[in-house]
């Protein structure tokens, strides 16, 4: 009798990448719904447009590379990139920027490095930063949350704005858009106003920006789901949020009228989604637990520093990309002590 | 009582839970099987040098007779499992992951099962010299039956009383395998005798028997036997069912809270570890004088009609055993020697059971699905979470795959025990262990090549040095001669004449000596 022969172990596998990515997508659903509720249909349109572009770009490029297409598309990683990118950009961003950003993310940042698993940088964040630097005005035209918006745009109108810049009758861009809470805070502080003064504006919620705090809450829920499902571990979210909290608290205590209170930092911009969904992207982070603590904490330090003393109101994307570069080195020098190793030793000379 | 979580002094990192599939093969007692017509005995069934055949084709051998002797210290002899005639000594497929053939002795059995004269039983082992007992164990060809097959007698040798703990590995953590479980259920008494013997030889103070808590009957039976024999300082420890608790290093940590040094052995921390089946075989050798000629083998999986454990003679073919267990079912797809995690699959059932084979798993596609195509590693780190050696499998994979072997060793490639946990949990379905084996063999063969090259270089250098030395010596001689001639130039002719005269004298002396010699030999022959 003849038998099939394979290499051990023979038990098959208990997990698969598609399932991992699908759970990440599922975890983003509450945050996406909240975002759509507060900022309109543009969010959904961006997600659909970015996803379609990402899948098409990946398929096309795999064809050029003469690689199998279906298994790669099926891993859903391109869609995760697309959704992360889509929730980072302004809801009414012109379509060609969204498409351009995604083409850059998938082709340059991901596939040119060898595809999933080989890219040193987070594709969604790299694309976001590219657009932010190249098209600063388009990339900062955010919408006010529904409570403050004077014009609520339906799906078709949003579609029209995104694809042909067709604003409804009697509406202009200035009336439609508003700075983000982080941006507003920064501008006002630069003008020398006190926090108590700035807080009088209606754009603030209970502890973050109006609307944005609830978007962050729902993404936090998704993040906890990922922790519960063991898709991510606590190391990066905790160290990143912890570092921001420590710095924010220290400066706030020192000068409460010149520095926003700590919760504001967490719930007004991209910190929550960054800590749970972006910095935890396994491909571009450190794989050792000790390294992840360092990685997360340094992202936190960078976020707070850039926000407070740098040139951008939110800084999650920059902080993540900078730390992506450092990840392999951090990993090498934070190898865990192995079983039976006498004394723990870090990396050796020569990386 | 049994519901409470068992307390062990230590716990190892990672590990995986999975269905244990032990129930299928434990429904009936260990069965005897009839003597097969043919037995194939590989000369290498142990770690170390292959045994040397001591019989020739056509020779009749008796059960228990030595047919291949150990060659060297790390080696083990092989005995005839039953009486019969040596049919051939040739290459035959052996159960090895390489799928290669190796030298084997084939016996055509005669069915009479006639015993050879065995060495006398040593009943009073407690007052017997340790060296005698160790020699008995060596001569019985006993090797580690848990799968490592390291000659057991070597582990018994004196270590200046540095050993304080004996660990009996009865965890049997791999799914499907139940041979140790059944052995403990049925032969606890003899196992305890074996423990007695080993404790006497090692002079250890305490003994820990580690059994996974999914084997309550074995635990009960062992506890009863230990109590009946009133063994001092002996604990039957129920360890949590978590693969690979039966790994020597993992079990040591579980039972003692101590780690075996990275490049060391348990003896470095005062521990000796034996598999429970080995202990049983040691008792057989000492108390009955019997060499290791049979073992319990688990026949299981959806591909076997009647999963069970059998007493198999070493050398019985897998096909023969499975035929006795009701043969194959339609679902039979893979034949695995060992368990599903660390066993290797064989292309045919014409392989003999060796001392190392504890289980023949005839797996269906449900038991062991064919591997799915691997996708890219996303560095999720699930493998590192599961690794019981606390390695970073994703980094090992990365460097092994890119043939960056120095880097792989930097990440402690050789501390990998190939348990398969990383591969089991990998969401990208990468056959990780396969890459580690590849890297290890590449490094070994490179080292071999290097030592060969070093040897060749040394020989070359030695030759060059020798030639130089000879040339130098010749030169020196010539110089000396020249100098001598020069100094004698003053004497000139007279010196030459003297030399010639001396030569003539020498020749004459030689001639007369030869003549005398021939005369004397002639005289002797007459």
């Amino acid at each position: 009798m003849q038998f099939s022969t394979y290499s051990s172990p023979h038990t098959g596998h208990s997990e698969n990448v598609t399932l991992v990515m699908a759970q990440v997508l599922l975890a983003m659903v509450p945050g996406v719904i909240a975002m759509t509720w507060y900022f309109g249909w543009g969010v959904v349109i961006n997600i659909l447009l970015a996803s379609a572009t990402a899948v098409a770009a990946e398929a096309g490029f795999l064809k050029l590379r003469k690689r199998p297409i279906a298994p790669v598309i099926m891993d859903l990683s391109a869609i995760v990139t697309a959704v992360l990118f889509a929730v980072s950009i302004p809801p009414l961003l012109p379509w060609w920027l969204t498409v351009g950003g995604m083409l850059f993310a998938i082709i340059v940042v991901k596939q040119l490095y060898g595809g999933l698993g080989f890219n040193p940088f987070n594709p969604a964040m790299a694309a976001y930063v590219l657009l932010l630097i190249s098209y600063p005005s388009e990339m900062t035209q955010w919408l006010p949350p529904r409570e403050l918006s004077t014009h609520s745009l339906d799906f078709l109108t949003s579609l029209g704005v995104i694809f042909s810049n067709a604003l409804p009758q009697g509406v202009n861009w200035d009336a439609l858009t508003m700075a983000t809470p982080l941006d507003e805070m920064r501008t006002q502080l630069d003008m020398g106003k006190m926090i108590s003064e700035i807080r009088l504006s209606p754009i603030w919620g209970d502890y973050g920006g109006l609307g944005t705090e609830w978007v962050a809450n729902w993404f936090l829920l998704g993040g906890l789901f990922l922790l519960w499902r063991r898709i991510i571990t606590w190391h990066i979210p905790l160290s990143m949020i912890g570092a921001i909290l420590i710095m924010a608290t220290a400066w706030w205590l020192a000068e409460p009228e010149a520095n926003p209170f700590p919760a504001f930092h967490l719930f007004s911009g991209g910190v929550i989604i960054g800590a749970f969904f972006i910095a935890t992207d396994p491909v571009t982070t450190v794989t050792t637990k000790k390294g992840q603590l360092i990685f997360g904490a340094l992202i936190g330090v960078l976020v707070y520093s850039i926000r407070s003393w740098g040139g951008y109101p939110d800084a999650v994307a920059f902080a993540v990309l900078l730390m992506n570069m450092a990840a392999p080195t951090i990993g090498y020098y934070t190898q865990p002590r192995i079983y039976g190793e006498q004394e723990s030793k870090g990396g050796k000379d020569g990386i | 009582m049994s519901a409470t979580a068992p307390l062990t002094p230590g716990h190892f990192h990672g590990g995986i839970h999975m269905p244990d599939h032990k129930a299928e093969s434990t429904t009936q007692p260990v069965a005897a099987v009839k003597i097969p017509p043919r037995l194939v005995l590989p000369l290498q069934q142990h770690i170390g040098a292959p045994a040397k055949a001591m019989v020739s084709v056509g020779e009749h051998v008796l059960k228990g007779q030595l047919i291949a002797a150990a060659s060297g210290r790390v080696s083990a002899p092989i005995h005839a499992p039953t009486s019969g005639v040596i049919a051939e000594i040739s290459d035959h497929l052996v159960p090895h992951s390489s799928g290669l053939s190796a030298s084997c002795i084939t016996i055509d059995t005669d069915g009479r099962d006639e015993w050879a004269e065995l060495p006398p039983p040593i009943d009073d082992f407690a007052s017997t010299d340790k060296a005698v007992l160790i020699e008995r164990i060596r001569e019985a060809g006993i090797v580690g039956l848990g799968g490592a097959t390291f000659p057991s007698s070597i582990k018994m040798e004196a270590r200046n009383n540095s050993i304080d703990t004996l660990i009996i590995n009865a965890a049997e953590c791999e799914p499907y395998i139940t041979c140790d479980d059944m052995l403990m259920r049925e032969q606890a008494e003899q196992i305890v005798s074996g423990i007695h013997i080993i404790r006497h030889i090692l002079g250890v103070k305490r003994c820990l028997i580690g059994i996974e808590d999914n084997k309550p009957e074995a635990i009960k039976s062992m506890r009863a036997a230990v109590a009946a024999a009133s063994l001092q300082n002996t604990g039957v420890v129920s360890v949590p069912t978590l693969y690979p608790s039966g790994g020597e290093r993992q079990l040591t940590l579980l039972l003692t809270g101590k780690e075996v040094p990275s490049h060391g052995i348990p003896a470095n921390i005062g521990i000796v570890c034996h598999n429970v089946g080995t202990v049983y075989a040691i008792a057989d050798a000492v108390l009955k004088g019997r060499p290791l000629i049979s073992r319990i083998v688990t026949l299981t999986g959806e591909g076997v009609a009647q999963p069970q454990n059998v007493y198999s003679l070493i050398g019985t073919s897998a096909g023969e055993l499975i035929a006795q267990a009701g043969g194959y079912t339609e679902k039979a797809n893979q034949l695995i020697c060992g368990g599903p995690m660390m066993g290797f699959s064989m292309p045919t059932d014409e392989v003999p059971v060796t001392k190392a084979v504890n289980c023949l798993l005839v797996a269906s596609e449900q038991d062991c699905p064919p591997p799915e195509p691997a996708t890219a590693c996303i560095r999720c780190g699930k493998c590192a979470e599961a690794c019981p050696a606390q390695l970073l499998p994703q980094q090992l994979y990365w460097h092994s795959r890119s043939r960056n072997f120095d880097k792989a060793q930097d990440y402690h490639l050789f501390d990998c025990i190939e348990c398969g946990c990383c591969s089991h949990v990998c969401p990208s379905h990468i056959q990780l262990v396969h890459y580690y084996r590849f890297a290890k063999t590449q490094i070994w063969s490179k080292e071999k090549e290097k030592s060969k090259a070093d040897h060749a270089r040394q020989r070359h250098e030695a030759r060059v040095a020798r030639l130089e030395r000879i040339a130098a010596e010749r030169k020196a001689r010539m110089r000396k001669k020249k100098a001598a001639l020069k100094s004698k130039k003053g004497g000139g002719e007279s010196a030459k004449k003297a030399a010639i005269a001396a030569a003539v004298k020498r020749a004459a002396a030689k001639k007369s000596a030869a003549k005398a010699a021939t005369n004397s030999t002639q005289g002797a022959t007459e």
Side-chain angles (χ1 to χ4, degrees):
Chain A
M1 179 148 180
Q2 287 296 308
F3 298 96
S4 321
T5 53
Y6 309 112
S7 178
S8 75
H10 308 279
T11 49
H13 302 276
S14 53
E15 325 219 358
N16 77 64
V17 174
T18 305
L19 215 61
V20 170
M21 296 293 175
Q23 291 181 77
V24 173
L25 288 172
L26 185 66
M28 283 196 282
V29 167
V32 166
I33 291 175
M35 229 177 148
T36 311
W37 168 260
Y38 285 107
F39 298 101
W41 287 106
V43 176
V44 175
I45 296 169
N46 280 346
I47 288 175
L48 295 176
L49 181 60
S51 300
T53 312
V55 170
E58 186 139 83
F61 208 78
L62 285 167
K63 202 171 162 138
L64 276 180
R65 287 178 67 197
K66 299 193 172 60
R67 296 290 171 96
I69 296 170
V72 176
I73 300 297
M74 283 307 293
D75 69 27
L76 301 181
S77 65
I79 298 188
V80 169
T81 297
V83 177
L84 284 173
F85 174 74
V87 297
S88 309
I89 56 177
L92 293 181
L93 190 70
W95 67 272
W96 52 274
L97 281 177
T98 308
V99 169
M102 271 332 285
L103 289 176
F104 178 72
I106 296 295
I107 294 176
V108 178
V109 188
K110 187 179 177 188
Q111 285 295 333
L112 281 184
Y113 281 100
L116 180 66
F118 297 93
N119 49 303
F121 297 103
N122 185 307
M125 290 303 102
Y128 173 82
V129 162
L130 174 80
L131 294 192
L132 184 63
I133 294 171
S134 316
Y135 301 90
S137 72
E138 283 86 346
M139 284 294 283
T140 47
Q141 281 179 333
W142 269 81
L143 301 185
R146 63 183 296 118
E147 288 91 339
L148 302 178
S149 79
T150 45
H151 313 274
S152 122
L153 305 181
D154 60 22
F155 185 80
L156 285 177
T157 320
S158 304
L159 212 57
V161 175
I162 288 171
F163 279 92
S164 55
N165 203 11
L167 291 177
Q169 276 290 284
V171 180
N172 61 20
W173 271 108
D174 285 344
L176 200 60
T177 62
M178 195 188 86
T180 65
L182 281 170
D183 209 356
E184 180 71 10
M185 176 66 80
R186 186 188 174 81
T187 319
Q188 300 285 337
L189 282 174
D190 283 351
M191 285 158 61
K193 290 198 182 163
M194 313 273 258
I195 295 284
S196 52
E197 245 177 301
I198 302 170
R199 286 277 289 167
L200 294 175
S201 156
I203 66 164
W204 310 111
D206 295 324
Y207 43 88
L210 188 62
T212 59
E213 64 187 14
W214 276 99
V215 172
N217 284 343
W218 288 109
F219 274 119
L220 177 63
L221 183 76
L224 295 177
F225 169 78
L226 291 184
L227 276 177
W228 172 60
R229 297 294 305 154
R230 300 177 62 87
I231 305 283
I232 60 172
T233 59
W234 55 269
H235 302 79
I236 292 174
L238 190 82
S239 59
M240 175 174 161
I241 290 172
I244 293 175
L245 267 183
I246 290 170
M247 288 188 82
T249 309
W251 264 271
W252 176 63
L253 286 176
E255 224 177 328
E257 279 300 331
N259 295 292
F261 53 99
F264 172 84
H265 275 286
L266 301 191
F267 292 95
S268 301
V271 169
I272 295 294
I273 188 172
F276 287 93
F277 291 88
I278 295 168
T280 50
D281 163 26
V283 175
T284 55
T285 65
V286 186
T287 60
T288 64
K289 295 298 170 221
K290 214 197 310 176
Q292 288 180 350
L293 289 175
I294 297 171
F295 178 84
L298 288 177
I299 290 179
V301 169
L302 281 173
V303 167
Y304 188 83
S305 305
I306 297 173
R307 279 183 179 185
S308 302
W309 310 295
Y312 287 89
D314 201 347
V316 172
F318 290 103
V320 167
L321 289 179
L322 284 170
M323 289 313 297
N324 285 165
M325 280 191 258
T329 311
I330 296 175
Y332 188 81
Y333 285 99
T334 52
Q335 289 181 41
R337 189 193 73 90
I338 66 158
Y339 176 105
E341 198 173 22
Q342 297 306 310
E343 74 269 34
S344 78
K345 60 176 178 198
K348 291 170 211 142
D349 293 337
I351 296 160
Chain B
M1 244 336 249
S2 60
T4 56
L7 289 173
T8 50
H11 77 278
F12 61 90
H13 178 265
I16 51 176
H17 290 286
M18 56 192 147
D20 66 9
H21 291 285
K22 304 264 191 191
E24 292 92 320
S25 56
T26 49
T27 54
Q28 57 186 87
V30 183
V33 293
K34 61 173 196 267
I35 298 168
R38 222 159 211 236
L39 293 173
V40 177
L41 297 135
L43 290 174
Q44 174 118 48
Q45 299 187 35
H46 48 264
I47 285 182
K52 214 168 70 204
M54 303 299 282
V55 287
S56 43
V57 175
E59 199 175 323
H60 187 261
V61 292
L62 294 173
K63 182 173 187 171
Q65 181 184 330
L66 179 80
I67 55 171
S71 56
R73 181 168 169 266
V74 185
S75 184
I78 292 158
H79 304 79
T82 184
S83 54
V85 176
I86 306 294
E88 48 184 284
I89 302 174
S90 59
D91 280 2
H92 190 281
L93 186 66
V94 293
H96 186 267
S97 53
S98 64
L100 295 177
S101 297
S103 191
C104 297
I105 298 177
T106 305
I107 299 176
D108 276 335
T109 61
D110 59 14
R112 290 203 294 266
D113 209 26
E114 248 178 289
W115 278 96
E117 197 186 326
L118 295 178
I122 308 176
D123 290 320
D124 186 17
F125 57 83
S127 52
T128 305
D129 186 36
K130 290 169 187 178
V132 173
L133 295 173
I134 295 173
E135 194 50 33
R136 170 63 62 89
I137 293 165
R138 191 196 320 277
E139 282 169 358
I142 294 170
V143 298
L145 297 183
T149 65
F150 186 75
S152 304
S153 58
I154 298 174
K155 288 196 196 175
M156 309 275 184
E157 285 163 8
R159 289 185 176 271
N160 309 321
N161 293 327
S162 61
I163 306 297
D164 57 46
T165 305
L166 168 67
I167 288 180
I168 305 300
N169 189 344
E172 200 164 53
C173 60
E174 273 223 42
Y176 292 94
I177 308 178
T178 56
C179 60
D180 289 348
D181 185 2
M182 294 309 290
L183 180 72
M184 286 186 283
R185 290 190 202 190
E186 297 183 6
Q187 305 288 347
E189 213 174 303
Q190 186 171 330
I191 294 169
V192 170
S193 305
I195 294 174
H196 252 310
I197 296 167
I198 301 171
R199 284 181 68 151
H200 168 64
I201 297 174
L202 293 173
V204 295
K205 292 173 205 74
R206 64 166 180 165
C207 170
L208 297 166
I209 304 162
I211 309 175
E212 271 194 349
D213 59 9
N214 61 355
K215 292 179 264 296
E217 289 179 49
I219 294 173
K220 210 172 118 195
S221 134
M222 285 302 290
R223 283 195 174 145
V226 166
S230 53
L231 266 183
Q232 298 301 304
N233 282 326
T234 300
V236 177
V237 186
S238 157
V239 302
T241 300
L242 176 68
Y243 180 84
S245 69
E248 185 175 72
R249 289 160 174 266
Q250 283 63 42
L251 190 65
T252 303
L253 181 53
L254 277 171
L255 296 179
T256 66
K258 289 198 269 187
E259 288 185 2
V260 180
S262 167
H263 294 288
I265 55 172
N268 298 143
I269 51 168
I271 291 168
V272 163
C273 188
H274 282 285
N275 166 266
V276 68
T278 316
V279 176
Y280 177 82
I282 286 173
D284 243 6
V286 172
L287 302 176
K288 297 177 188 162
R290 284 190 190 169
L292 178 58
I293 52 173
S294 75
R295 66 159 299 148
I296 302 182
V297 178
T298 305
L299 309 171
T300 188
E302 286 189 333
V304 177
Q306 297 149 17
Q308 58 183 290
N309 280 275
V310 294
Y311 285 107
S312 164
L313 294 180
I314 305 292
T316 312
S317 81
E320 192 82 37
L321 288 180
I322 287 154
Q324 301 226 12
Y328 297 103
T329 66
E330 280 169 16
K331 289 180 170 178
N333 175 52
Q334 231 191 124
L335 173 67
I336 298 169
C337 286
M341 292 304 287
M342 293 184 73
F344 38 87
S345 52
M346 298 301 304
T348 129
D349 59 10
E350 282 156 30
V351 287
V353 162
T354 61
K355 294 173 184 177
V357 175
N358 50 7
C359 176
L360 293 170
L361 169 58
V362 187
S364 66
E365 288 202 5
Q366 283 73 47
D367 289 325
C368 298
E372 294 158 71
T375 55
C377 167
I378 56 168
R379 298 158 58 79
C380 64
K382 292 275 177 210
C383 49
E385 283 169 29
C387 179
Q390 290 153 255
L391 304 173
L392 295 172
Q394 71 275 42
Q395 302 295 76
L396 288 176
Y397 161 70
W398 188 267
H399 296 305
S400 300
R401 189 185 136 105
S402 53
R403 295 170 180 252
N404 199 344
F405 300 128
D406 289 343
K407 220 46 184 297
Q409 278 173 281
D410 246 18
Y411 280 96
H412 312 284
L413 174 67
F414 285 98
D415 283 275
C416 167
I417 58 171
E418 300 179 18
C419 65
C421 289
C422 52
S423 192
H424 182 81
V425 300
C426 178
S428 298
H429 304 165
I430 301 168
Q431 293 284 350
L432 291 161
V433 180
H434 201 58
Y435 285 92
Y436 309 149
R437 284 202 201 103
F438 164 74
K440 284 180 187 175
T441 47
Q442 288 287 311
I443 293 167
W444 283 326
S445 74
K446 252 185 203 161
E447 270 169 10
K448 218 183 225 169
E449 252 167 53
K450 190 175 170 287
S451 78
K452 240 189 212 165
D454 282 349
H455 187 63
R457 202 190 58 238
Q458 277 166 11
R459 282 179 53 168
H460 174 72
E461 280 168 0
R463 180 171 180 269
V464 169
R466 193 177 66 240
L467 292 180
E468 271 173 7
R469 196 189 64 231
I470 290 170
E473 277 170 8
R474 187 182 292 147
K475 247 184 198 160
R477 248 195 337 265
M478 300 246 296
R479 235 191 344 261
K480 229 182 193 168
K481 228 177 199 170
K482 251 183 197 164
L485 283 176
K486 232 179 212 169
S487 69
K488 279 175 189 165
K489 230 169 200 171
E493 290 298 296
S494 65
K496 227 180 214 171
K497 260 181 191 160
I500 291 167
V504 168
K505 216 175 181 181
R506 269 205 307 278
K510 232 184 206 168
K511 236 180 205 167
S512 62
K515 218 175 208 171
T518 43
N519 282 347
S520 72
T521 46
Q522 268 169 3
T525 44
E526 273 168 8

